[in-house]
Amino acid sequence: MQEEANNKFLLEMNGISKEFPGVKALDGVTLKVRKGSVHALMGENGAGKSTLMKCLFGIYHMDEGQIRLEERDVKFTSSKHALDNGVSMVHQELNQVRSTRIMDNIWLGRFPTKGIFVDEDKMYKDTLEIFKSLDIYLDPKKKVSELQVSECQMVEIAKAVSYNSKLIVMDEPTSSLTEKEVSHLFKIIRNLKSKDVSVIYISHKMDEIEQICDEVTVMRDGQWIATRFIKDITTDEIIRLMVGRDLSNRFPPKANQPGAVILKVENLTAVYQPSISDVSFELREGEILGIAGLVGAKRTDVIESIFAERQATGSVKLRGKAMKFKSPKDAIKSGFALVTEERRATGIFPNQDIFFNSSIANIDRYVTFASVLDQRKILKDTNWVVDSMRVKTPNNKTRIVSLSGGNQQKVIIGRWLLTEPEVLLLDEPTRGIDVGAKFDIYQLMIDLAAKGKGVIMVSSEMPELLGITDRIMVMSNGRLAGIVNTNETTQEEILRLSSKYL
C-alpha cells in the first residue's frame, strides 16, 4: 500500500509545546506526515488539534519544539509565510469576504496585474483552470454571498490548491456537505495524493477517516497519544484512545416516550421565495423529530420560520394555542429555543466571555426587583453550563472565541437549555463535535424529551438521525417529501424521499 511504500516524511513536528495563561494547550506533541498521504488528526474538542495546526501555520508561536518540512527546519512567523512555503489550511469556520466575487476571494492579496491594474481576464481564466482540475462548477464572477455553505467550502479548497501547496490542512471539511459532495471532496483528495500532495484531515466522522485516510494520530488533553495505520486500528480503538475510556455505544439508550401533540404546524410557507412551501407536521411531547434532506432542501428554513427568524405564513400552535411571533424574542418568551448551524456568524458573541454567552438568552430571568442583574444566579447557571456540557476552559471568564469550535457549541446549547424551552430547535447541533461530546449532547436531548418537551433536529449525518430520533421528516426542494418512523425506515428510503421533488 502507498502508506507503507512511501516512508518519506514531508512534515515532522517534534516535541511541540504551547502554553496559554492558566492552561497548557500542547505538551510535547509529535506529528509526522508522509509525502502523498492523508493523515487524520483526531481528538476530543479541546484536545489541542487546532492549536497544533495554528503553531504549524504561524498563527501561534510555539514555546518549544521543532518543525521540519521536506527535511529542513522551518518556523513560520505568519500564515502568509506558511502559504509561501506550500502549507495551506482550509478552516472549519470560513472567513470569506462575502460581498466580493469568488475569484476575488481566491486571489485576495495576490491579484494578477497588467501594469498598475488588476488583470481580470487572467484572474478569471486561472480560477476556471483550478475549478476544472477539481471538477468544481461555479461561476468565478458570482458573489460569495450567493453561495451555499457547501459551495463556500469548495471555494476555500480551491484557494488552498491555488497556492501550489505541498501540504493542505483540512479542518472538518465535510461538516456542511451532503454524501454526494463528500464523494466529490474525496475524489479531489485522491487527485491531490496522486500529485504527492499531503493532507492533514481533521474530522470526528469515523466512517470518513476509514474511507480516505492512510494514518491517524490521536491527541488527548494536549498530548500525543498514538499514531497508527488505518488498516491496523478499529473505530472502537480510536474512540477509546480519544476519550481515554471505552464508549461501547454511539447513542445513549432512549428513555423518552412520545405522547400528545405539543406543536402543530400547518401550511408553513415562507414569504420570500425560493424557500419552504406548504409544510405541515406535528411534534409530540417527549419526541425527537429529525429533519433530513439534501443541501438546498430548505431544512434550516423550516425551523427558522417557526422561530420567526424568517417571515412565513401558515399556522404554528403550541399546546393548541396559536403562536403569532413578530420576532425571535417573541418565540423565546413563548418557550422556543434555536441552536443555529453557523455558530460563528449567528451563535456566539465572540468578544464576550463564557459568563456572558451562557446567560444572554435568559437575561430577563436574572433581573431583580431593584432592576439589577443577580450576578450570583448568573454565575450558578454559567457553572452549570460549563460542568454539565463538559466545556474545556480555564474559567468562565474566558472569551468564547478562544475556545475550540466544539466547546463553543457546548456553551450555545447550554445557553438555550437554561431557558427551559418547551420546543428545542437544533440545526446541525453536533457539527464539529467529537464523539464523546456528541454522546453527551444526545443524552441531553433525550433527557429533555423525557421531561415531556419536544425536540426538532436538522442533521446531515444519517447515522445520527437513525440513532437518536423517533421520527424523521424529509424535505426536498422546500417541500415536505414524507415523514417516517425511525425504527421502520432505511437510509435508502430517506435518500429516495430526499430526491422526490428535484
Side-chain angles (χ1 to χ4, degrees), residues 187-244:
K187 182 180 177 182
I188 291 172
I189 291 174
R190 292 186 182 104
N191 182 31
L192 292 170
K193 279 181 63 177
S194 70
K195 297 174 182 176
D196 273 345
V197 175
S198 300
V199 175
I200 297 176
Y201 194 91
I202 302 174
S203 178
H204 297 298
K205 298 181 180 179
M206 297 296 174
D207 55 335
E208 293 180 6
I209 299 300
E210 292 176 353
Q211 285 183 62
I212 198 64
C213 296
D214 302 304
E215 290 181 80
V216 57
T217 289
V218 178
M219 294 179 63
R220 186 171 71 239
D221 297 330
Q223 297 181 324
W224 174 88
I225 299 299
T227 297
R228 300 279 193 277
F229 285 115
I230 292 296
K231 66 182 183 62
D232 296 332
I233 193 168
T234 66
T235 295
D236 287 343
E237 287 174 318
I238 293 174
I239 293 173
R240 180 177 55 78
L241 290 169
M242 284 173 57
V243 301

Side-chain angles (χ1 to χ4, degrees), residues 327-491:
S327 68
K329 187 175 181 181
D330 293 337
I332 295 169
K333 286 182 176 179
S334 297
F336 289 76
L338 171 62
V339 176
T340 60
E341 178 183 8
E342 292 297 318
R343 60 175 163 261
R344 181 182 287 270
T346 57
I348 65 170
F349 294 83
N351 294 320
Q352 299 294 334
D353 56 23
I354 296 171
F355 188 82
F356 180 93
N357 274 275
S358 296
S359 59
I360 187 63
N362 219 21
I363 202 72
D364 288 346
R365 300 188 189 185
Y366 300 128
V367 179
T368 67
F369 290 113
S371 297
V372 296
L373 293 176
D374 187 336
Q375 297 293 327
R376 271 195 268 184
K377 191 173 183 181
I378 297 176
L379 179 60
K380 180 182 177 183
D381 284 353
T382 301
N383 288 337
W384 178 86
V385 170
V386 172
D387 294 339
S388 65
M389 302 301 296
R390 298 201 307 168
V391 178
K392 291 185 178 179
T393 175
N395 55 67
N396 58 30
K397 287 296 184 180
T398 301
R399 286 176 64 211
I400 195 169
V401 74
S402 67
L403 302 183
S404 67
N407 280 299
Q408 291 176 15
Q409 186 77 329
K410 292 178 187 179
V411 173
I412 295 168
I413 293 173
R415 169 205 300 168
W416 289 112
L417 291 177
L418 284 174
T419 68
E420 300 178 352
E422 290 292 305
V423 177
L424 178 62
L425 308 169
L426 301 161
D427 196 353
E428 303 286 2
T430 64
R431 178 185 172 195
I433 301 288
D434 64 73
V435 65
K438 280 184 179 182
F439 189 93
D440 295 337
I441 290 171
Y442 298 147
Q443 187 65 65
L444 286 165
M445 292 166 60
I446 291 170
D447 290 347
L448 191 65
K451 294 175 182 175
K453 311 302 182 182
V455 179
I456 300 178
M457 177 183 68
V458 174
S459 177
S460 299
E461 293 191 36
M462 197 69 72
E464 181 171 78
L465 287 169
L466 294 172
I468 197 66
T469 65
D470 299 295
R471 289 186 302 149
I472 300 172
M473 170 178 151
V474 186
M475 294 293 296
S476 178
N477 201 24
R479 299 165 67 185
L480 178 61
I483 299 177
V484 295
N485 291 322
T486 303
N487 58 6
E488 296 173 356
T489 192
T490 62
Q491 185 169 329

